[in-house]
Coordinates of all heavy atoms in Angstrom, one line a residue:
L1 N 110.7 79.1 88.5 CA 111.2 78.6 87.2 C 112.6 79.3 86.9 O 113.4 78.6 86.4 CB 110.1 78.9 86.2 CG 110.5 78.4 84.8 CD1 110.7 76.9 84.7 CD2 109.4 78.9 83.8
V2 N 112.6 80.6 87.2 CA 113.8 81.3 86.8 C 115.0 80.8 87.6 O 116.1 80.6 87.1 CB 113.6 82.9 87.1 CG1 114.9 83.6 86.9 CG2 112.6 83.4 86.1
I3 N 114.8 80.6 88.9 CA 115.9 80.0 89.8 C 116.3 78.6 89.3 O 117.5 78.4 89.3 CB 115.5 80.0 91.2 CG1 115.3 81.5 91.7 CG2 116.4 79.3 92.1 CD1 114.8 81.7 93.1
N4 N 115.3 77.8 88.9 CA 115.8 76.6 88.3 C 116.7 76.7 87.0 O 117.6 75.9 86.8 CB 114.6 75.7 87.9 CG 113.9 75.3 89.2 OD1 114.4 75.1 90.2 ND2 112.5 74.9 89.1
Q5 N 116.3 77.7 86.2 CA 117.2 77.9 85.0 C 118.5 78.6 85.3 O 119.5 78.4 84.6 CB 116.4 78.7 84.0 CG 115.2 77.9 83.5 CD 114.3 78.7 82.6 OE1 114.4 79.9 82.4 NE2 113.4 78.1 81.8
R6 N 118.5 79.5 86.4 CA 119.7 80.3 86.6 C 119.9 80.2 88.1 O 119.8 81.3 88.8 CB 119.5 81.7 86.1 CG 119.3 81.9 84.6 CD 119.2 83.2 84.1 NE 118.6 84.2 85.0 CZ 117.8 85.2 84.6 NH1 117.4 85.2 83.3 NH2 117.3 86.0 85.5
P7 N 120.3 79.1 88.7 CA 120.4 78.9 90.1 C 121.5 79.9 90.7 O 121.4 80.2 91.9 CB 120.8 77.5 90.3 CG 121.4 77.0 89.0 CD 120.8 78.0 88.0
D8 N 122.4 80.4 90.0 CA 123.4 81.3 90.5 C 123.2 82.8 90.3 O 124.0 83.5 90.5 CB 124.8 80.9 90.0 CG 125.2 79.5 90.4 OD1 124.9 79.0 91.4 OD2 126.0 78.9 89.6
D9 N 122.0 83.1 89.9 CA 121.6 84.4 89.5 C 121.0 85.1 90.8 O 119.9 84.8 91.2 CB 120.6 84.5 88.4 CG 120.3 85.9 87.9 OD1 120.5 86.8 88.7 OD2 119.6 85.9 86.9
A10 N 121.8 86.0 91.5 CA 121.3 86.6 92.7 C 120.1 87.5 92.4 O 119.2 87.6 93.3 CB 122.5 87.5 93.2
D11 N 120.0 88.1 91.3 CA 118.8 88.9 91.0 C 117.5 88.1 91.0 O 116.5 88.5 91.4 CB 119.1 89.6 89.7 CG 117.9 90.7 89.3 OD1 117.7 91.5 90.2 OD2 117.3 90.6 88.3
A12 N 117.7 86.9 90.4 CA 116.4 86.0 90.4 C 116.1 85.6 91.8 O 114.8 85.6 92.2 CB 116.8 84.7 89.6
H13 N 117.1 85.4 92.7 CA 116.7 85.1 94.1 C 116.2 86.3 94.8 O 115.1 86.2 95.5 CB 117.9 84.7 94.8 CG 118.4 83.3 94.5 ND1 117.9 82.1 95.1 CD2 119.2 82.8 93.4 CE1 118.5 81.0 94.6 NE2 119.2 81.5 93.6
A14 N 116.6 87.5 94.5 CA 116.0 88.7 95.1 C 114.6 88.9 94.7 O 113.7 89.3 95.5 CB 116.9 89.9 94.7
R15 N 114.3 88.6 93.4 CA 113.0 88.7 93.0 C 112.0 87.7 93.6 O 110.9 88.1 94.0 CB 112.9 88.5 91.4 CG 113.5 89.6 90.6 CD 113.3 89.3 89.2 NE 114.2 90.2 88.4 CZ 114.6 90.0 87.2 NH1 114.2 88.9 86.6 NH2 115.4 90.7 86.6
I16 N 112.5 86.5 93.8 CA 111.6 85.5 94.5 C 111.3 85.9 95.9 O 110.3 85.8 96.5 CB 112.1 84.1 94.3 CG1 111.0 83.1 94.7 CG2 113.3 83.8 95.2 CD1 109.9 83.0 93.8
I17 N 112.4 86.4 96.7 CA 112.2 86.9 98.0 C 111.2 88.0 98.0 O 110.2 88.0 98.8 CB 113.5 87.4 98.6 CG1 114.6 86.3 98.7 CG2 113.3 88.0 100.0 CD1 116.0 86.8 99.0
T18 N 111.3 89.0 97.1 CA 110.3 90.0 97.0 C 109.0 89.6 96.8 O 108.0 90.0 97.5 CB 110.8 91.0 95.9 OG1 112.1 91.5 96.2 CG2 109.8 92.2 95.8
A19 N 108.7 88.5 96.0 CA 107.5 88.0 95.7 C 106.8 87.3 97.0 O 105.8 87.6 97.2 CB 107.5 87.0 94.6
Y20 N 107.8 86.6 97.7 CA 107.3 86.0 98.9 C 106.9 87.1 99.9 O 105.9 86.9 100.6 CB 108.2 85.0 99.5 CG 108.4 83.8 98.8 CD1 109.6 83.2 98.4 CD2 107.3 82.9 98.5 CE1 109.7 82.0 97.8 CE2 107.3 81.7 97.9 CZ 108.5 81.2 97.5 OH 108.7 80.0 96.9
L21 N 107.7 88.1 100.0 CA 107.3 89.2 100.9 C 106.0 89.8 100.7 O 105.2 90.1 101.4 CB 108.5 90.2 101.0 CG 109.8 89.7 101.6 CD1 110.9 90.8 101.5 CD2 109.5 89.4 103.1
R22 N 105.8 90.1 99.4 CA 104.5 90.7 99.0 C 103.3 89.9 99.2 O 102.2 90.4 99.5 CB 104.6 91.2 97.5 CG 105.6 92.3 97.2 CD 105.6 92.7 95.8 NE 106.3 93.9 95.6 CZ 106.9 94.2 94.5 NH1 106.7 93.5 93.4 NH2 107.7 95.3 94.4
A23 N 103.6 88.6 99.1 CA 102.5 87.7 99.3 C 102.3 87.4 100.9 O 101.3 86.7 101.3 CB 102.7 86.3 98.7
G24 N 103.1 87.9 101.7 CA 103.1 87.7 103.2 C 103.6 86.2 103.6 O 103.2 85.8 104.7
D25 N 104.3 85.7 102.7 CA 104.8 84.2 103.0 C 106.2 84.4 103.5 O 107.2 84.2 102.8 CB 104.8 83.5 101.7 CG 105.2 82.0 101.9 OD1 105.7 81.6 103.0 OD2 104.8 81.1 101.0
Y26 N 106.3 84.6 104.8 CA 107.6 84.9 105.4 C 108.4 83.7 105.6 O 109.7 83.8 105.6 CB 107.4 85.7 106.8 CG 106.7 87.0 106.5 CD1 105.4 87.2 106.8 CD2 107.4 88.0 105.9 CE1 104.6 88.3 106.6 CE2 106.7 89.2 105.6 CZ 105.3 89.4 106.0 OH 104.7 90.5 105.7
G27 N 107.9 82.6 105.8 CA 108.6 81.3 105.8 C 109.4 81.0 104.6 O 110.6 80.6 104.6
N28 N 108.8 81.0 103.5 CA 109.4 80.8 102.2 C 110.3 82.1 101.8 O 111.4 81.8 101.2 CB 108.4 80.7 101.1 CG 107.9 79.2 101.0 OD1 108.6 78.3 101.3 ND2 106.6 79.1 100.7
A29 N 110.0 83.2 102.3 CA 110.9 84.4 102.1 C 112.3 84.1 102.8 O 113.3 84.3 102.3 CB 110.3 85.7 102.5
R30 N 112.2 83.6 104.1 CA 113.4 83.3 104.9 C 114.2 82.2 104.1 O 115.4 82.3 104.1 CB 113.0 82.8 106.2 CG 114.2 82.6 107.1 CD 113.8 82.3 108.6 NE 113.2 83.5 109.2 CZ 112.0 83.8 109.4 NH1 111.1 82.9 109.1 NH2 111.7 84.8 110.1
A31 N 113.5 81.2 103.7 CA 114.2 80.0 102.9 C 114.9 80.6 101.7 O 116.1 80.2 101.4 CB 113.2 79.0 102.6
A32 N 114.2 81.4 101.0 CA 114.8 82.0 99.8 C 116.0 82.9 100.1 O 117.0 83.0 99.4 CB 113.7 82.7 99.0
L33 N 115.8 83.6 101.3 CA 117.0 84.5 101.7 C 118.2 83.6 102.0 O 119.2 84.0 101.7 CB 116.5 85.4 102.9 CG 117.6 86.2 103.4 CD1 118.1 87.2 102.4 CD2 117.1 87.0 104.8
D34 N 118.0 82.5 102.6 CA 119.1 81.7 102.9 C 119.8 81.2 101.7 O 121.0 81.3 101.6 CB 118.6 80.4 103.7 CG 118.2 80.7 105.1 OD1 118.5 81.7 105.6 OD2 117.5 79.8 105.6
A35 N 119.1 80.9 100.6 CA 119.6 80.4 99.3 C 120.3 81.6 98.7 O 121.4 81.5 98.1 CB 118.6 79.9 98.3
F36 N 119.7 82.8 98.8 CA 120.3 84.1 98.3 C 121.6 84.4 99.0 O 122.5 84.7 98.3 CB 119.2 85.2 98.5 CG 119.6 86.6 98.1 CD1 119.9 86.9 96.7 CD2 119.8 87.6 99.0 CE1 120.2 88.1 96.4 CE2 120.2 88.9 98.6 CZ 120.4 89.2 97.3
T37 N 121.7 84.3 100.3 CA 122.8 84.5 101.1 C 124.0 83.7 100.7 O 125.2 84.1 100.7 CB 122.5 84.5 102.6 OG1 121.4 85.3 102.9 CG2 123.7 84.8 103.5
A38 N 123.7 82.5 100.3 CA 124.7 81.5 99.9 C 125.4 82.0 98.6 O 126.5 81.5 98.4 CB 124.1 80.1 99.8
L39 N 124.8 82.8 97.9 CA 125.4 83.3 96.6 C 126.4 84.4 96.9 O 127.0 84.9 96.0 CB 124.3 83.7 95.7 CG 123.3 82.6 95.2 CD1 122.3 83.3 94.3 CD2 124.1 81.5 94.4
E40 N 126.4 84.8 98.2 CA 127.3 86.0 98.6 C 127.0 87.3 97.8 O 127.9 87.9 97.3 CB 128.8 85.6 98.5 CG 129.2 84.4 99.4 CD 130.6 84.0 99.2 OE1 131.4 84.7 98.7 OE2 130.9 82.9 99.8
P41 N 125.8 87.7 97.9 CA 125.4 89.0 97.3 C 125.9 90.2 98.1 O 126.5 90.0 99.1 CB 123.9 88.9 97.2 CG 123.6 88.1 98.5 CD 124.6 87.0 98.6
D42 N 125.5 91.4 97.7 CA 125.8 92.5 98.4 C 125.3 92.4 99.9 O 124.0 92.1 100.0 CB 125.2 93.7 97.7 CG 125.5 95.0 98.4 OD1 125.9 95.0 99.6 OD2 125.5 96.1 97.7
P43 N 126.0 92.5 100.8 CA 125.6 92.3 102.2 C 124.3 93.3 102.6 O 123.5 93.0 103.4 CB 126.7 92.6 103.1 CG 127.9 92.4 102.2 CD 127.4 92.7 100.9
A44 N 124.3 94.4 102.0 CA 123.2 95.4 102.2 C 121.9 94.8 101.7 O 120.8 95.0 102.4 CB 123.5 96.8 101.5
D45 N 121.9 94.0 100.6 CA 120.7 93.4 100.1 C 120.2 92.4 101.1 O 119.0 92.2 101.4 CB 120.9 92.8 98.8 CG 121.1 93.9 97.6 OD1 120.5 94.9 97.9 OD2 121.8 93.6 96.6
V46 N 121.1 91.6 101.7 CA 120.8 90.6 102.6 C 120.1 91.3 103.9 O 119.0 90.8 104.4 CB 122.0 89.7 103.1 CG1 121.6 88.8 104.3 CG2 122.5 89.0 101.9
D47 N 120.8 92.3 104.3 CA 120.3 93.0 105.6 C 118.8 93.7 105.3 O 117.9 93.6 106.2 CB 121.2 94.1 106.0 CG 122.5 93.6 106.6 OD1 122.5 92.4 107.1 OD2 123.6 94.2 106.3
F48 N 118.7 94.1 104.0 CA 117.4 94.7 103.8 C 116.3 93.7 103.9 O 115.2 93.9 104.6 CB 117.4 95.2 102.2 CG 116.1 95.6 101.7 CD1 115.6 96.9 102.1 CD2 115.4 95.0 100.8 CE1 114.3 97.4 101.5 CE2 114.2 95.4 100.3 CZ 113.7 96.6 100.7
F49 N 116.5 92.5 103.2 CA 115.5 91.5 103.3 C 115.4 90.9 104.7 O 114.2 90.6 105.2 CB 115.8 90.4 102.3 CG 115.6 90.8 100.9 CD1 116.6 90.6 100.0 CD2 114.4 91.3 100.4 CE1 116.5 91.0 98.7 CE2 114.2 91.6 99.1 CZ 115.3 91.5 98.2
A50 N 116.4 90.7 105.4 CA 116.4 90.1 106.8 C 115.6 91.1 107.7 O 114.9 90.6 108.6 CB 117.9 90.0 107.2
G51 N 115.8 92.4 107.5 CA 115.1 93.4 108.4 C 113.6 93.3 108.1 O 112.8 93.2 109.1
I52 N 113.1 93.1 106.9 CA 111.8 93.1 106.6 C 111.2 91.8 107.2 O 110.1 91.8 107.8 CB 111.5 93.2 105.1 CG1 111.8 94.6 104.7 CG2 110.0 92.9 104.7 CD1 111.8 94.8 103.1
I53 N 111.9 90.7 107.0 CA 111.4 89.4 107.6 C 111.2 89.5 109.0 O 110.4 89.0 109.7 CB 112.3 88.2 107.1 CG1 112.2 88.0 105.6 CG2 111.9 86.9 107.8 CD1 113.1 87.1 104.9
A54 N 112.3 90.0 109.6 CA 112.3 90.2 111.1 C 111.1 91.0 111.6 O 110.5 90.7 112.6 CB 113.6 90.7 111.6
L55 N 110.9 92.2 110.9 CA 109.9 93.0 111.3 C 108.5 92.5 111.0 O 107.6 92.4 111.9 CB 110.0 94.4 110.5 CG 108.9 95.4 110.8 CD1 108.8 95.9 112.3 CD2 109.2 96.7 109.9
R56 N 108.2 92.1 109.8 CA 106.8 91.7 109.5 C 106.5 90.2 109.7 O 105.5 89.9 110.1 CB 106.6 92.0 107.9 CG 106.8 93.4 107.6 CD 105.5 94.2 107.9 NE 105.7 95.6 108.1 CZ 105.8 96.5 107.1 NH1 105.8 96.1 105.9 NH2 105.9 97.8 107.4
G57 N 107.6 89.5 109.5 CA 107.3 88.0 109.7 C 107.4 87.5 111.2 O 106.6 86.8 111.8
D58 N 108.5 88.0 111.8 CA 108.8 87.6 113.2 C 108.3 88.5 114.3 O 108.2 88.2 115.4 CB 110.4 87.4 113.4 CG 110.9 86.4 112.5 OD1 110.2 85.5 112.0 OD2 112.1 86.5 112.1
R59 N 107.9 89.8 113.9 CA 107.6 90.8 114.8 C 108.6 91.0 115.9 O 108.5 91.2 117.1 CB 106.3 90.5 115.5 CG 105.1 90.3 114.5 CD 104.7 91.5 113.7 NE 104.2 92.5 114.6 CZ 104.1 93.8 114.1 NH1 104.4 94.2 112.9 NH2 103.6 94.8 115.0
D60 N 109.9 90.9 115.4 CA 111.1 91.0 116.3 C 111.8 92.4 116.0 O 112.6 92.5 115.0 CB 112.1 89.9 116.0 CG 113.3 89.9 116.9 OD1 113.6 91.0 117.5 OD2 113.9 88.8 117.0
G61 N 111.3 93.4 116.7 CA 111.8 94.7 116.5 C 113.3 94.9 116.6 O 113.9 95.6 115.8
A62 N 113.9 94.2 117.6 CA 115.3 94.4 117.8 C 116.2 93.8 116.7 O 117.1 94.4 116.2 CB 115.7 93.7 119.1
A63 N 115.8 92.6 116.1 CA 116.4 92.1 115.0 C 116.3 92.9 113.8 O 117.2 93.0 113.0 CB 116.0 90.6 114.8
A64 N 115.1 93.4 113.6 CA 114.8 94.3 112.5 C 115.7 95.5 112.6 O 116.4 95.9 111.5 CB 113.3 94.7 112.4
V65 N 115.8 96.2 113.7 CA 116.6 97.4 113.8 C 118.0 97.1 113.6 O 118.7 97.8 112.9 CB 116.4 98.0 115.2 CG1 117.4 99.0 115.5 CG2 115.0 98.6 115.3
D66 N 118.5 95.9 114.1 CA 120.0 95.6 113.8 C 120.1 95.4 112.3 O 121.2 96.0 111.8 CB 120.3 94.3 114.5 CG 120.4 94.4 116.0 OD1 120.5 95.5 116.5 OD2 120.4 93.4 116.8
A67 N 119.3 94.8 111.7 CA 119.4 94.5 110.1 C 119.4 95.9 109.5 O 120.1 96.1 108.5 CB 118.4 93.5 109.7
F68 N 118.4 96.6 109.8 CA 118.3 98.0 109.1 C 119.5 98.9 109.3 O 119.9 99.6 108.5 CB 117.0 98.6 109.5 CG 115.7 97.9 109.0 CD1 114.6 97.9 109.8 CD2 115.7 97.3 107.7 CE1 113.5 97.2 109.4 CE2 114.5 96.6 107.3 CZ 113.4 96.6 108.1
D69 N 120.0 98.8 110.6 CA 121.2 99.6 110.8 C 122.3 99.1 110.0 O 123.1 100.0 109.5 CB 121.5 99.6 112.4 CG 120.6 100.4 113.3 OD1 119.9 101.2 112.7 OD2 120.7 100.2 114.5
R70 N 122.6 97.9 110.0 CA 123.6 97.4 109.0 C 123.5 97.8 107.6 O 124.4 98.3 106.9 CB 123.7 95.9 109.0 CG 124.3 95.4 110.4 CD 124.6 93.9 110.4 NE 123.4 93.1 109.9 CZ 122.5 92.5 110.8 NH1 122.6 92.8 112.1 NH2 121.6 91.8 110.3
F71 N 122.2 97.8 107.1 CA 121.9 98.2 105.7 C 122.2 99.7 105.6 O 122.9 100.1 104.6 CB 120.4 98.1 105.4 CG 120.0 98.7 104.2 CD1 120.1 97.9 103.0 CD2 119.6 100.0 104.0 CE1 119.8 98.5 101.8 CE2 119.2 100.5 102.8 CZ 119.3 99.9 101.7
L72 N 121.8 100.5 106.6 CA 122.1 102.0 106.4 C 123.5 102.3 106.5 O 124.0 103.3 105.9 CB 121.2 102.7 107.5 CG 119.7 102.7 107.2 CD1 119.0 103.2 108.4 CD2 119.3 103.5 106.0
A73 N 124.3 101.6 107.3 CA 125.7 101.8 107.4 C 126.4 101.4 106.2 O 127.3 102.1 105.7 CB 126.3 101.0 108.6
A74 N 125.9 100.4 105.5 CA 126.6 99.8 104.3 C 126.2 100.6 103.0 O 127.0 100.7 102.1 CB 126.3 98.4 104.1
A75 N 125.0 101.1 103.0 CA 124.4 101.8 101.8 C 123.5 102.9 102.1 O 122.3 103.0 101.8 CB 123.5 100.7 101.1
P76 N 124.1 104.0 102.8 CA 123.4 105.1 103.1 C 122.7 105.9 102.0 O 121.6 106.6 102.2 CB 124.3 106.0 103.9 CG 125.7 105.6 103.4 CD 125.5 104.1 103.1
D77 N 123.3 105.8 100.8 CA 122.7 106.5 99.7 C 121.9 105.7 98.8 O 121.5 106.1 97.6 CB 123.9 107.0 98.8 CG 124.6 108.1 99.7 OD1 124.0 108.8 100.5 OD2 125.8 108.2 99.5
D78 N 121.6 104.4 99.2 CA 120.8 103.5 98.4 C 119.3 104.1 98.2 O 118.9 104.7 99.2 CB 120.7 102.2 99.1 CG 120.0 101.1 98.3 OD1 118.7 101.1 98.2 OD2 120.7 100.2 97.8
P79 N 118.7 104.0 97.1 CA 117.4 104.5 96.9 C 116.4 103.9 97.9 O 115.3 104.5 98.2 CB 117.0 104.2 95.5 CG 118.2 103.7 94.8 CD 119.2 103.3 95.9
R80 N 116.7 102.8 98.5 CA 115.7 102.2 99.5 C 115.9 102.7 100.9 O 115.1 102.5 101.8 CB 115.9 100.7 99.5 CG 115.7 99.9 98.2 CD 116.1 98.5 98.3 NE 117.6 98.5 98.3 CZ 118.2 97.4 98.2 NH1 117.7 96.2 98.2 NH2 119.7 97.4 98.3
A81 N 117.0 103.6 101.1 CA 117.3 104.1 102.4 C 116.1 104.8 103.1 O 115.9 104.5 104.4 CB 118.5 105.0 102.4
P82 N 115.4 105.7 102.4 CA 114.2 106.3 103.1 C 113.2 105.3 103.5 O 112.6 105.5 104.7 CB 113.7 107.2 102.0 CG 114.8 107.5 101.1 CD 115.6 106.2 101.1
M83 N 112.9 104.3 102.8 CA 112.0 103.3 103.2 C 112.5 102.5 104.4 O 111.8 102.2 105.3 CB 111.7 102.3 102.0 CG 110.8 101.2 102.5 SD 110.3 100.0 101.2 CE 112.0 99.3 100.7
V84 N 113.8 102.2 104.4 CA 114.4 101.5 105.5 C 114.4 102.3 106.8 O 114.1 101.7 107.8 CB 115.9 101.1 105.2 CG1 116.7 100.5 106.3 CG2 115.8 100.0 104.1
R85 N 114.6 103.6 106.7 CA 114.5 104.4 107.9 C 113.0 104.4 108.5 O 112.9 104.4 109.7 CB 114.9 105.9 107.5 CG 116.4 106.1 107.3 CD 116.8 107.5 107.1 NE 118.2 107.5 106.7 CZ 118.5 107.6 105.4 NH1 117.7 107.7 104.4 NH2 119.8 107.6 105.1
A86 N 112.0 104.4 107.6 CA 110.7 104.3 108.0 C 110.3 103.0 108.7 O 109.7 102.9 109.7 CB 109.7 104.6 106.9
L87 N 110.9 101.9 108.1 CA 110.7 100.6 108.6 C 111.4 100.5 109.9 O 110.9 99.8 110.9 CB 111.2 99.5 107.6 CG 110.4 99.3 106.3 CD1 111.1 98.5 105.4 CD2 109.0 98.8 106.7
R88 N 112.6 101.0 110.1 CA 113.4 101.0 111.3 C 112.6 101.7 112.5 O 112.5 101.3 113.5 CB 114.7 101.7 111.1 CG 115.6 101.7 112.3 CD 116.9 102.4 112.1 NE 117.8 102.3 113.3 CZ 117.6 102.9 114.5 NH1 116.6 103.7 114.6 NH2 118.5 102.7 115.4
A89 N 111.9 102.9 112.1 CA 111.2 103.5 113.0 C 110.0 102.7 113.5 O 109.6 102.6 114.7 CB 110.7 104.9 112.5
E90 N 109.3 101.9 112.6 CA 108.3 101.1 112.9 C 108.8 99.9 113.9 O 108.1 99.6 114.7 CB 107.8 100.5 111.7 CG 106.6 99.6 111.8 CD 106.1 99.0 110.5 OE1 106.2 99.7 109.4 OE2 105.5 97.8 110.5
A91 N 110.0 99.5 113.5 CA 110.5 98.3 114.3 C 110.8 98.8 115.8 O 110.7 98.1 116.7 CB 111.8 97.9 113.7
L92 N 111.2 100.1 115.9 CA 111.5 100.6 117.3 C 110.2 100.6 118.2 O 110.3 100.4 119.4 CB 112.1 102.0 117.2 CG 113.5 102.1 116.8 CD1 113.9 103.5 116.4 CD2 114.4 101.4 117.8
E93 N 109.1 100.7 117.5 CA 107.9 100.8 118.2 C 107.5 99.4 118.8 O 106.6 99.4 119.7 CB 106.8 101.4 117.4 CG 107.0 102.8 117.1 CD 105.9 103.4 116.2 OE1 104.9 102.7 115.9 OE2 106.2 104.5 115.6
L94 N 108.0 98.3 118.2 CA 107.6 97.0 118.7 C 108.2 96.6 120.1 O 107.7 95.9 120.8 CB 108.1 96.0 117.7 CG 107.4 95.9 116.3 CD1 108.0 94.8 115.4 CD2 106.0 95.7 116.5
D95 N 109.4 97.2 120.3 CA 110.1 96.8 121.6 C 109.8 97.8 122.7 O 109.4 98.9 122.7 CB 111.5 96.7 121.4 CG 111.9 95.5 120.5 OD1 111.1 94.6 120.5 OD2 113.0 95.6 119.9

């Protein structure tokens, strides 16, 4: 509903991606990420979500590590960085 009312609001798109991820709906999370990416948000945010989808949805450790590395390079002081480091370590164990 929020996205219908504010289709250009990157924050609304980030919220829907987060909701899909929490629900384990990685297909819709990926589709929402595509729409989010089209808004040209902060690339670190795109990499954050892409890494989680690759790790949890696709079980693709290499793609997840790549996305998490891009996130950490772009936003090393982001409050999500410790979580991303832990997720990256988890992704390394997949391959």
